Amino acid sequence: MDAATKSIPILGTAVTNYQVALNLKKFNGTVGSNISGTSDLAPLDKQEKR
């Protein structure tokens, strides 16, 4: 996805796993470059405690 363009912003919404979607070997929570977005992966362990 990031190879398609370096100048046009790319926004992903409701991506469950950016590491898998972007084929990243290491992922620390940020993608970098011109890619941004949101994840739909909820912290279920924290929701369960309520």
Side-chain angles (χ1 to χ4, degrees), residues 2 18 22 24 27-33 35-36:
D2 64 335
Y18 273 95
L22 298 175
L24 301 172
F27 183 65
N28 64 0
T30 61
V31 177
S33 69
I35 300 173
S36 185

Side-chain angles (χ1 to χ4, degrees), residues 2-50:
D2 64 335
T5 180
K6 296 291 183 196
S7 60
I8 299 171
I10 298 171
L11 180 63
T13 57
V15 176
T16 299
N17 190 327
Y18 273 95
Q19 185 172 9
V20 172
L22 298 175
N23 195 26
L24 301 172
K25 297 201 185 306
K26 292 184 178 182
F27 183 65
N28 64 0
T30 61
V31 177
S33 69
N34 59 326
I35 300 173
S36 185
T38 61
S39 174
D40 63 357
L41 184 60
L44 298 178
D45 58 333
K46 292 178 182 175
Q47 289 181 358
E48 181 181 58
K49 291 180 183 179
R50 291 184 173 219

